[in-house]
Amino acid sequence: MMTGAQILIESLKREGVDLIFGYPGGVLLGVYDTLYDSDITHILPRHEQGGIHAAEGYARATGKVGVCFGTSGPGATNLVTGIANAHMDSIPMVVFTGQVATSLIGGDAFQEADIIGITRPIVKHSYMLTNVEETASVIKEAFHIARTGRPGPVVIDLPKDIMAAKAKFEWPEKVNLTGYNPTVKGHLGQIKKMLRLLESAKKPVIYMGGGVVLSEANEELVKFSEITGVPVVSSFLGLGGFPGTHENFVGWLGMHGNYASNMAVSDPDFILAIGTRFSDRSTGRLDGFAPNAKIAHIDVDPASISKNVQIEVPIVGDCKAVLKQALGEIDKFNWDKNASARKEWREQIKAWDREHPFDYDRTADIIKPQYVVETIYKVTEGDAIITTEVGQNQMWAGQFYKFKRPHQFISSGGLGTMGYGFPAAIGAKLGCPDKEVFDIAGDGSFMMNMQEICTAVQNKVAVKVAILNNRYLGMIRQWQNMFFNDRFSHCDLNCQPDFVKLAEAFGAVGMRIDRKEDVEAAIRESLKVKDKPVIMDFTVDRNENVFPMIPAGASVSEMLLMQK
Amino acid sequence: MMRHTISVLVENKFGVLSRISGLFSGRGYNIESLSVNRTTDESVSIMTIVTMGDDRVVEQIIKQLRKLVNVIRVRNVSEMDHIEREMILVKVHATQRTRPDVFNIVSTFRGKTVDITNESVVIELTGANDKILAFLNVMEPYGIIEVVRTGAIAIGRGSKMTSEMK
């Protein structure tokens, strides 16, 4: 016989969990006592939100399921933002929350919160354990649900008495869920229909999203794009799903994407959308989005198909599996037929890109934030894992770092969670210790979870934080500058800590870089630090805005470009 | 905007009703009525949800319902040959003078009188939505004191289970 807590830890081992981010608390003491004897590594963040973002960063960098613990009540509610973040970006997570004993539930006990109720709209699924005997099977189901289909977070609430109760440990052979059976392979007839339409298209575009990264369909997609000669546009979260330096790669579309990508989707004759959900930040105003194109859409989530944009050829299935099927059929079609029209189309797109590439004033004496990102790209040879905070820093990271592979770019896309990037970087570095990991940060976002410097120091996590410090909530300032007559309401962060001293106070390395000529040397210097975090405070142009920009609710034709 | 009746077979588990009602409120879909009860299999419940929406909205509702792990089957029964029933209990003013008229109407609608006082009667009536509405319309002039309605329940015609029908 084992206790619920012992069954829990044993089940985690069976699922291959080797790293947990968690914060103990009253009702979880039994679980933590069991964990004390286990060989699973446990990382103690300094705030539950830091812990769950770190678990997500770990999941996104490794492709594995992220696991975190929080106690009942405030511990659980502090996890809510992280759960919502994982839900919006479809990241596999299993989140364990403590709960008061079942006899006390509903009585407003100390540190009681109805976390299952609170998180209902932001989970893929959730469980409250009410019987110790179901512990192992629930955990197995939770991991299965989190990682299959369209991935997402699963919450398991652990009442204190259930964790103390005893039962025999029985690890189920397989998962049996009558109501859950995601489609993996696509319908072959639909795939052929898509290929037929693509074959006859003269101005086709592949519009790929985070689903390509999640299913690691990158190699299949490169092959597919090369054979068919179709250029590839990515969503923001798709970055890394197709090599950023490939000649068929156009860039990313949307509010701050490049001109060529947005032009490419404004009037193509065919779009093959892969693993994307046509978010408003990507498409802009929908009536301006490819009004004359036929659209085929491959997605593992049927509810993402025809949700925002009407789709002619829906293909439900895993991106990688469906692309494999498509590659199996590809020789049966004639890709030479429109090859010259497509070449012309690719030339047109390249011309658009030459006309308005991502750019900034390279002659400025002051440090431009884009220059910092570009230099990180150069110094790391495009190989680092990049996490971002949210706002201007995030957009510049997407614009000036070219990604090679899936899981290399980690950013809070759907929810836009400030304070995400730094803990996510810690998780990513713990998952991929051989890779350099940079958090491209803003001063505002970084201050939302900077307590995690302590976590990184304690665990010798050598992440680099590049604060693009404009002493503003930069994206807020940009909108107030552009749309609110320079009425800078509450975006000024001139009062802030000395980040160098702050880093040192935590036992990390701090650097301040005020001069453009010191940027590269500082980044190179940071790479020499192997056993603690480095916080680099770059004093950048306070007034720099992100361009291009398609204002919210506008269409591509209303794109604002950099003033030269 | 069309009225759609959706039949949802669900696992009889903790919190299923809140997952479904929450899905509707969270995504801004409306629920006109919802009824839920166990089937002959104790581990499975069936819900009948009546909602309003155009084709696109109803397609999304069905897809989102299917995404829920505890949902086993979803059928838009409005699209198939089916039988739909609601039940109402209506308390109506009826004095000695008006009572015969009221009884007449009740019998025309094949309802039942289940309680009588000097000033009122309580009538029980089952039928499809349009019949219920027609009855309430006719009763209106007599003075309706109170109406209690169940949600609609629906079943497909023929020998197959509704959840197995195309």
Side-chain angles (χ1 to χ4, degrees):
Chain A
M1 297 289 263
M2 286 164 78
T3 64
Q6 286 167 332
I7 295 174
L8 164 69
I9 301 301
E10 182 58 32
S11 302
L12 292 178
K13 279 195 221 160
R14 299 285 178 111
E15 279 296 335
V17 174
D18 49 17
L19 186 62
I20 295 170
F21 299 85
Y23 210 104
V27 297
L28 277 186
L29 285 170
V31 171
Y32 270 79
D33 189 60
T34 310
L35 198 59
Y36 199 54
D37 298 325
S38 146
D39 48 14
I40 297 178
T41 306
H42 177 278
I43 303 288
L44 179 75
R46 293 305 185 265
H47 188 294
E48 286 92 348
Q49 189 189 357
I52 189 166
H53 290 331
E56 195 191 311
Y58 171 85
R60 288 172 93 145
T62 60
K64 294 194 232 171
V65 178
V67 179
C68 75
F69 283 10
T71 192
S72 64
T77 56
N78 278 343
L79 296 173
V80 169
T81 303
I83 296 168
N85 198 81
H87 185 249
M88 286 290 262
D89 289 351
S90 310
I91 307 303
M93 306 264 289
V94 177
V95 178
F96 293 92
T97 51
Q99 184 56 275
V100 300
T102 47
S103 58
L104 298 177
I105 288 176
D108 297 329
F110 177 64
Q111 291 195 329
E112 181 188 356
D114 173 14
I115 198 63
I116 296 296
I118 291 167
T119 58
R120 196 214 32 83
I122 52 167
V123 295
K124 185 167 175 189
H125 195 50
S126 52
Y127 296 89
M128 180 192 279
L129 284 180
T130 50
N131 179 352
V132 66
E133 267 140 32
E134 62 187 22
T135 307
S137 64
V138 161
I139 292 171
K140 190 172 173 89
E141 276 178 28
F143 276 84
H144 175 73
I145 291 169
R147 71 161 80 91
T148 54
R150 178 175 174 181
V154 179
V155 170
I156 304 179
D157 208 16
L158 309 170
K160 186 182 165 195
D161 55 324
I162 305 292
M163 288 295 94
K166 289 192 169 175
K168 220 176 122 209
F169 178 81
E170 275 175 285
W171 188 240
E173 290 276 302
K174 48 180 191 192
V175 172
N176 190 12
L177 289 160
T178 33
Y180 179 79
N181 192 15
T183 309
V184 176
K185 278 197 160 185
H187 185 282
L188 203 57
Q190 292 290 91
I191 292 172
K192 286 182 187 163
K193 196 171 163 192
M194 175 273 285
L195 288 168
R196 254 197 310 281
L197 285 170
L198 187 61
E199 183 186 38
S200 59
K202 294 188 168 69
K203 297 193 296 178
V205 176
I206 291 170
Y207 158 34
M208 57 159 280
V212 173
V213 172
L214 291 164
S215 78
E216 299 172 353
N218 49 312
E219 280 173 28
E220 289 77 8
L221 186 57
V222 167
K223 217 181 271 178
F224 187 86
S225 160
E226 285 174 355
I227 295 170
T228 57
V230 180
V232 176
V233 164
S234 177
S235 75
F236 186 68
L237 283 191
L239 289 174
F242 194 88
T245 48
H246 193 287
E247 62 162 350
N248 284 2
F249 188 67
V250 184
W252 52 286
L253 81 176
M255 186 171 272
H256 293 293
N258 62 333
Y259 179 74
S261 291
N262 284 310
M263 291 304 287
V265 295
S266 68
D267 196 23
D269 59 355
F270 183 77
I271 292 180
L272 171 57
I274 309 176
T276 185
R277 59 187 176 86
F278 292 82
S279 89
D280 57 295
R281 282 293 187 268
S282 290
T283 60
R285 213 174 61 216
L286 285 170
D287 55 10
F289 185 81
N292 303 309
K294 288 204 160 50
I295 308 179
H297 187 181
I298 303 169
D299 206 290
V300 75
D301 175 13
S304 284
I305 299 177
S306 293
K307 182 171 68 180
N308 299 333
V309 170
Q310 206 52 42
I311 302 299
E312 271 80 18
V313 191
I315 305 170
V316 179
D318 171 70
C319 299
K320 190 184 181 88
V322 173
L323 280 171
K324 269 192 178 152
Q325 286 174 286
L327 286 169
E329 299 294 319
I330 210 153
D331 292 342
K332 298 175 188 160
F333 295 83
N334 179 2
W335 302 106
D336 295 333
K337 201 166 81 183
N338 286 314
S340 66
R342 272 174 207 193
K343 186 154 183 274
E344 219 170 280
W345 169 234
R346 290 197 304 272
E347 291 304 322
Q348 167 71 71
I349 291 173
K350 290 222 161 75
W352 281 327
D353 200 38
R354 277 192 301 274
E355 226 175 296
H356 300 289
F358 284 137
D359 205 4
Y360 64 96
D361 180 6
R362 286 162 208 276
T363 60
D365 294 329
I366 192 166
I367 302 176
K368 289 285 183 179
Q370 299 94 327
Y371 175 71
V372 177
V373 179
E374 220 170 45
T375 310
I376 294 171
Y377 177 66
K378 183 178 135 193
V379 170
T380 58
E381 294 168 353
D383 195 56
I385 292 173
I386 301 294
T387 72
T388 77
E389 300 293 341
V390 164
Q392 290 183 317
N393 60 82
Q394 181 182 28
M395 296 299 113
W396 286 319
Q399 291 184 342
F400 292 93
Y401 204 100
K402 294 189 184 76
F403 299 93
K404 294 178 181 175
R405 56 176 193 277
H407 308 305
Q408 195 190 349
F409 179 57
I410 297 171
S411 188
S412 169
L415 198 65
T417 308
M418 287 176 69
Y420 174 81
F422 179 46
I426 294 172
K429 181 71 179 170
L430 285 163
C432 304
D434 301 336
K435 294 287 178 196
E436 294 297 346
V437 180
F438 276 77
D439 170 31
I440 293 179
D443 43 312
S445 286
F446 181 68
M447 277 193 272
M448 280 206 184
N449 267 324
M450 60 188 177
Q451 77 285 349
E452 300 307 331
I453 302 174
C454 202
T455 313
V457 168
Q458 183 189 353
N459 295 287
K460 300 188 169 33
V461 184
V463 291
K464 325 295 176 200
V465 179
I467 304 174
L468 310 177
N469 192 345
N470 55 11
R471 309 178 86 84
Y472 271 127
L473 293 171
M475 192 59 94
I476 300 296
R477 194 203 58 81
Q478 174 166 347
W479 283 52
Q480 289 171 340
N481 166 240
M482 294 170 75
F483 311 118
F484 292 90
N485 297 320
D486 280 345
R487 288 160 53 84
F488 296 126
S489 179
H490 303 282
C491 67
D492 193 303
L493 295 182
N494 227 337
C495 177
Q496 55 179 225
D498 178 329
F499 286 108
V500 176
K501 283 189 187 158
L502 183 87
E504 286 165 356
F506 274 110
V509 177
M511 302 179 184
R512 175 165 305 105
I513 303 95
D514 293 318
R515 298 184 316 162
K516 192 178 176 182
E517 52 270 34
D518 297 337
V519 169
E520 185 172 335
I523 295 166
R524 289 196 188 281
E525 189 62 29
S526 79
L527 294 181
K528 293 181 188 155
V529 181
K530 302 288 183 196
D531 60 348
K532 56 179 83 164
V534 181
I535 315 298
M536 288 172 276
D537 181 11
F538 293 94
T539 308
V540 302
D541 186 350
R542 289 197 83 192
N543 298 316
E544 187 70 11
N545 283 345
V546 181
F547 287 110
M549 177 175 192
I550 301 172
S555 62
V556 177
S557 55
E558 296 157 81
M559 195 186 317
L560 305 168
L561 297 158
M562 193 183 79
Q563 290 99 18
K564 287 191 182 169
Chain B
M1 293 274 276
M2 279 268 296
R3 184 174 180 275
H4 290 263
T5 306
I6 298 168
S7 174
V8 190
L9 209 59
V10 300
E11 290 181 288
N12 188 12
K13 282 196 174 158
F14 169 82
V16 175
L17 180 60
S18 74
R19 284 183 212 276
I20 292 191
S21 60
L23 170 72
F24 275 75
S25 61
R27 293 195 178 261
Y29 309 142
N30 101 342
I31 298 183
E32 201 174 284
S33 78
L34 184 155
S35 74
V36 50
N37 220 317
R38 281 187 192 169
T39 61
T40 48
D41 178 350
E42 249 190 40
S43 66
V44 174
S45 292
I46 190 153
M47 291 188 187
T48 308
I49 303 171
V50 178
T51 184
M52 302 285 287
D54 57 27
D55 289 353
R56 239 187 77 182
V57 169
V58 172
E59 188 189 326
Q60 260 300 310
I61 290 174
I62 291 172
K63 283 174 168 178
Q64 293 291 350
L65 284 169
R66 286 191 175 133
K67 270 177 83 165
L68 297 175
V69 172
N70 297 135
V71 168
I72 303 166
R73 285 283 164 80
V74 185
R75 287 288 179 273
N76 186 351
V77 290
S78 304
E79 290 175 346
M80 49 178 80
D81 198 6
H82 75 285
I83 301 150
E84 200 171 312
R85 291 289 180 270
E86 288 172 39
M87 182 173 125
I88 50 170
L89 292 169
V90 198
K91 195 176 285 180
V92 185
H93 276 295
T95 57
Q96 218 169 3
R97 196 172 53 77
T98 57
R99 213 179 278 145
D101 285 358
V102 170
F103 285 174
N104 241 332
I105 298 168
V106 170
S107 117
T108 309
F109 278 86
R110 282 185 261 169
K112 270 195 275 182
T113 308
V114 288
D115 184 51
I116 303 186
T117 70
N118 285 333
E119 300 88 36
S120 69
V121 291
V122 174
I123 302 146
E124 171 193 321
L125 182 80
T126 60
N129 187 256
D130 51 352
K131 175 178 162 185
I132 303 277
L133 292 178
F135 177 75
L136 289 173
N137 212 13
V138 177
M139 278 293 127
E140 187 70 56
Y142 297 94
I144 294 173
I145 301 164
E146 190 177 11
V147 182
V148 184
R149 267 165 99 162
T150 65
I153 51 170
I155 197 163
R157 285 187 192 273
S159 56
K160 277 191 180 161
M161 276 180 64
T162 310
S163 60
E164 306 295 334
M165 288 171 70
K166 298 264 170 184

